[in-house]
Amino acid sequence: MTPSGPPTDHADRTGAAEQLDRCEDALARGDVAEATELIDRVALRSRTPLDDARFRAAEGRLAGLAGRPAAAVESLESAASLADRAGGAEAEQVATEARLDLVRMALRRGQIGRATAVAAGLSTLDGPRRVLVDAAIAVGRGEAPVLADLEAATDALLAERGAATAAFAADTVGLALVWAEQYDAADRLLDRLTRTARREAAVGPLPTLLAVQSLADLRTNRYRAAAARADEAVRLADATSRPGLAALPLGVLAVAEAVRGNAAACREVAARLREDATRTAGSDGGLSAEVPARAALGVLHLGLEEPAAAVAELEPLVDRAGTTPWLVMWQLDLAEALIAVDRRADAARLVEAFVTAVGAGRDGRATAVAARSKALLADDDPPAAEALLARSEAMLRDAGTPFGVARTLLTRGRLRRRWGDDAAGRADLGHAAALFQRVGAEGWAAQAEADRTATSAPRAVIVPPTPLTPQELQVAGLVATGRANKEIAALLFVSPRTVESHLGRIFRKLDVRSRSQLIARADEWGLRDQQSW
C-alpha cells in the first residue's frame, strides 16, 4: 500500500508536491530515469488527495512509456477520478491532463469510440489542444477537417508550450487523419511538426512523430520510407528508455520489412514484438503485439511463396483479432494462402466473413482485396474471375494503393498464363514487377519478374535482392537532398563516422561510386519518398 490521504506532516506534504512538480517536468522532457526516481520517492510520502491524483497520473504516464498500456489506463482513470473528487481548479487540471492521455492512447489503437467517450469529460479544456482533440474526434467520425485551422492550432500550441508538445498534435489529429485515410493532410501536418522538432533538436517528441509518419507511409505503400522512419522511432524510444513508444513503429517496421522481402529483419522485429508483449503482460494477452507480428510474417511468407508457412502464422488469429485495427488485411492474406494450399472451402468462408464484417457495399481497399480473393476462388470460370480482377484493380487504383494494384496484376498475370493467354499474362506480370519495385517491395518484384520470364518448366527458388537497411535508407534519402555528412549526423543523432560507414554500404549495394550517381538514382530507389528533412 502506498501512503495517501491527509498528510501527518506539513514538510512531508510539501516535499511530495515538490517531487511531483519535478517528476512532471521530467516526464515532459522525456527523462524517464529521473521521473521514475522521483515517483519512487513520492510513493513513500504522505500525500493530499490532490497529490495522490497527481501521483497516479505520473504512474500512468510512466507505465505507458514503459509499454504497459493496461496499467497506464488503470492509473490514468484512477487519477481522473481522484482529481474529480478532490475538487478545485488545480484538481480539474490534473483530471484534464489524465483524460487527454487516455484520449491519445485510444487514438493510437484506432479506438475512435473510446476516444470520443473520454473526450466528453474534457469540459474545461480550451485553447489549441481543444481544437486538436475535437478535430481528431470529428475526423474519426468521417468529417473532413479544415487543415488551415489545424495548422493554426498546432502553431499556437507550439508557441504556447514549446516543441515538446508536437507529440500531442501527432497523437491526436495526426493519427486521426491517418486512420481516416486523409493522407495528404496528415503528411502536411506531420512534416511541419517533424521539421520543427529536428530543427530544435527536440528528441522527446520525435519517436511519436516518426511513428505516426511511418504509419502513414505504410498505409500509402511507401515501404522504404516507412521502414526508415519506424526504425529511427524505435531507436530513439529505446535510447531514451521509453519502450512504450516503440510499440507502434515496431509493428510498422515488421510489416514494411516483410513487404520489402527482408526476411531476417522482419523475423527479428516480430520476435521483439512478441518479447515485449510477454514482458509487459498487457490486458489483451499480448494480442496487440501478436497481430502485427503474425501479419508481417504472413506477408513475408506469401512474398517468398511459402503459403503453408503463411497459414501457420495467420490462422491462429482467426476468431481472436477480428476487431483489432490492422496494419495489413491479414484475413485476406490468409485466404490467399489457404487457396494456395488447396483449402478452398476454408478460404471461401473466411472471405465471406470478412466482407460481412467490413460491409458488403463498402467501396475501398477491403472490398477490392476481397474481390481479388474471390477471383482466385473462381479460377475455373475465366470471365467471372476477369470481372472480379478488373473491379479489384480499378478500386485499388482509385484508393491510391499501388502495392494492392500490383498484387492484383500478379494474380491476373498468373491466371491468364494458366488460361493460355500468355502475352497478356506476361504484360500483367511485367507491370506488377515495376509497381512492386517502385514502392520498395523488392521481394514481391523478384517474384513477379520470375513469373514473367518463366517457361512452363518449374522455376528456381526466388532470392530477393538485398535491400538497403532502414538506417541506410535514411542516410541515402538525406544525401539525395544534398546534405553533407556532418549535417546528416546531426539530424539523425549519430556520429559522422556512422554516416560514412552507412554511405559506403549504400554505394556497394546500389552499385554507385559517388554522391552524384546516388542522387541520379534517387527516384529509382524511392529515396525522395522520405520527407521532413
Side-chain angles (χ1 to χ4, degrees), residues 56 71-82 84 98-99 102 114 118:
R56 293 291 284 162
V73 168
E74 180 183 356
S75 292
L76 291 166
E77 287 178 341
S78 175
S81 178
L82 288 168
D84 288 341
R99 290 190 171 101
L102 288 168
R114 163 73 174 159
V118 176

Side-chain angles (χ1 to χ4, degrees), residues 106-107 109-117 136-141 175-176 179:
L107 288 170
R109 293 168 175 252
Q111 298 170 339
I112 300 298
R114 163 73 174 159
T116 302
I137 301 303
V139 169
R141 291 196 301 259
L175 262 177
W179 289 125

Side-chain angles (χ1 to χ4, degrees), residues 26 46 50 102 120 123 126 174 178 204 245 250 252 255 318 332 369 385 392 405 428 431 446 454 457 489 503:
S46 297
L50 173 59
L102 288 168
S123 56
D126 57 13
V178 173
L245 298 184
L250 279 169
V252 170
V255 174
V318 175
L332 297 177
V369 177
S392 175
V405 172
D428 278 339
H431 292 151
L503 201 52

